[in-house]
Amino acid sequence: VSQQNGTPIFFLERESEMTKEEVSLRFGIPEKILDEYHNMELCDAVRIAMDDWKYTDEDLEHLSMIMALHDIGFTKDKVEMYMKLLVAGESTEKARMKILDEQRKKALDEIHLKERQLERMDYLRFQIRENQKKKYQGGARNEDNCFGRKSS
């Protein structure tokens, strides 16, 4: 396993291909992701038809990308759309960039919403602290004075 920009990239040792269970265990890829990849039919149709599914280096690169897309918030349908474009080749770079730009805008919108929520929360916390200060300051004035009487 290596990393590129924080995204894990999986490579097989060339001695063999791996089964679904082996890939899941060795690389920690959830079987749900492996099933999703299988259902996208992005690889050799002959292997699928023969039910002789062995994961190659190319499959592992695709799986790595699928996991990265899920990590950045893509829905299952968006992942499939992006992956089909990716497999189609360089001619789809513009379409893939558009999808990434849309996802980036969505992420920024969510960040801005969270920032507004934090600002509101901080203001409510500020109000409570100010109220506590007033009570404390007011309480100090109402305590007994040096003559044993309550001050007014």
Side-chain angles (χ1 to χ4, degrees):
V1 179
S2 68
Q3 291 222 349
Q4 179 179 7
N5 298 329
T7 302
I9 300 176
F10 309 104
F11 294 100
L12 287 177
E13 297 168 8
R14 291 308 307 157
E15 71 251 8
S16 68
E17 296 173 333
M18 300 176 84
T19 66
K20 178 180 177 180
E21 292 76 22
E22 291 169 332
V23 167
S24 181
L25 286 172
R26 183 167 177 188
F27 298 111
I29 301 172
E31 289 200 23
K32 179 180 94 175
I33 298 291
L34 297 171
D35 291 338
E36 185 178 319
Y37 178 63
H38 186 82
N39 292 333
M40 287 181 197
E41 298 177 356
L42 295 174
C43 53
D44 189 3
V46 173
R47 286 191 297 156
I48 295 170
M50 294 176 60
D51 200 26
D52 183 30
W53 192 273
K54 301 283 187 196
Y55 292 87
T56 64
D57 284 343
E58 183 179 30
D59 292 325
L60 291 174
E61 288 176 27
H62 290 163
L63 287 163
S64 178
M65 178 62 74
I66 289 169
M67 291 179 64
L69 295 172
H70 278 294
D71 284 347
I72 61 175
F74 275 45
T75 63
K76 183 179 172 184
D77 291 337
K78 283 278 188 187
V79 168
E80 184 170 358
M81 180 189 312
Y82 188 92
M83 290 304 298
K84 287 184 177 181
L85 289 169
L86 179 66
V87 170
E90 287 182 19
S91 64
T92 66
E93 285 179 342
K94 191 174 186 177
R96 286 183 283 143
M97 183 62 84
K98 183 179 180 202
I99 292 170
L100 290 170
D101 287 344
E102 289 170 358
Q103 188 66 27
R104 185 176 191 282
K105 183 186 179 317
K106 181 180 170 187
L108 283 172
D109 289 345
E110 291 173 10
I111 288 169
H112 293 143
L113 171 65
K114 293 295 181 188
E115 286 175 336
R116 287 191 303 274
Q117 289 173 337
L118 283 170
E119 287 171 6
R120 290 178 183 139
M121 192 181 319
D122 286 344
Y123 180 71
L124 292 173
R125 294 172 71 227
F126 169 77
Q127 285 181 319
I128 290 170
R129 285 189 182 121
E130 288 299 305
N131 192 34
Q132 287 174 339
K133 282 182 191 176
K134 287 178 186 172
K135 284 181 183 177
Y136 177 74
Q137 290 169 351
R141 274 185 263 139
N142 288 330
E143 290 194 11
D144 290 345
N145 61 20
C146 60
F147 299 110
R149 297 186 208 144
K150 293 267 185 207
S151 53
S152 40

